[in-house]
Amino acid sequence: MTGTFPHFIEKLPENDETNEIITEDYAAMSRAAADWFCERVAKKPDAVVVFPTGSTPVGLFKELIARRKAGQFDPSHLRIFQMDDYYPVDPADPRSLYGWLKLEFLDPLGIPESQVVPLPGNAPDPVAACLRYDQALAAVGGYDLAI
């Protein structure tokens, strides 16, 4: 069953297999992705996670926020790396992807800025900013989860 069904693919590092999970619809996919994510965070509460922006992960974000509010998910130790942003855009600019991620996801989850490594869209030297991002990622051993 492939094609138009919402799905996500899980890469299993221990045996290098891929597990494709197919769901009935977007809401079911969002719940399944939240189940998958919460299981992994329960095993490693301080996981290093890279989150995208855009409309695709919004259902997952809403599900994780609802689970946090219900006391079913604790994101308080996550270390977040921003996946993308525009340049040159200030984080306070409405076009900023970091601003969007903070407003729609990080703030509702209660994740403080001290646990987030953004891509500074307004850096005077974008090459140096990207090198600092890479160094911060290397310092924590890379991503544990990429959404």
Side-chain angles (χ1 to χ4, degrees), residues 61 64-66 68-69 75 100-111:
F61 292 174
L64 293 174
I65 291 165
R68 179 190 180 264
K69 288 180 180 177
W100 180 89
L101 189 65
K102 184 174 177 351
L103 179 69
E104 297 295 325
F105 185 60
L106 301 175
D107 288 349
L109 280 182
I111 297 174

Side-chain angles (χ1 to χ4, degrees), residues 57-74:
V58 168
L60 167 64
F61 292 174
K62 289 181 178 182
E63 185 67 30
L64 293 174
I65 291 165
R67 291 180 188 200
R68 179 190 180 264
K69 288 180 180 177
Q72 300 168 343
F73 170 58
D74 178 11

Side-chain angles (χ1 to χ4, degrees), residues 4 6 8 10 20-21 26 28 38 46 48 52-54 59 67 94 96 101 106 117 123 127 140:
T4 62
F8 66 94
E10 172 185 23
E20 184 174 18
I21 299 168
Y26 180 77
C38 289
D46 66 341
V48 176
T53 54
R67 291 180 188 200
S96 167
L101 189 65
L106 301 175
V117 177
V127 173
V140 295

Side-chain angles (χ1 to χ4, degrees), residues 20-103:
E20 184 174 18
I21 299 168
I22 300 171
T23 62
E24 292 282 324
D25 56 25
Y26 180 77
M29 181 192 68
S30 297
R31 287 189 302 275
D35 289 344
W36 178 90
F37 185 79
C38 289
E39 286 172 14
R40 277 135 191 91
V41 171
K43 292 176 186 172
K44 186 168 185 185
D46 66 341
V48 176
V49 186
V50 61
F51 283 104
T53 54
S55 61
T56 302
V58 168
L60 167 64
F61 292 174
K62 289 181 178 182
E63 185 67 30
L64 293 174
I65 291 165
R67 291 180 188 200
R68 179 190 180 264
K69 288 180 180 177
Q72 300 168 343
F73 170 58
D74 178 11
S76 63
H77 299 289
L78 291 176
R79 295 169 293 166
I80 308 297
F81 279 72
Q82 182 183 352
M83 180 181 284
D84 50 5
D85 212 333
Y86 297 115
Y87 184 84
V89 177
D90 187 86
D93 187 305
R95 297 169 296 166
S96 167
L97 297 180
Y98 175 74
W100 180 89
L101 189 65
K102 184 174 177 351
L103 179 69

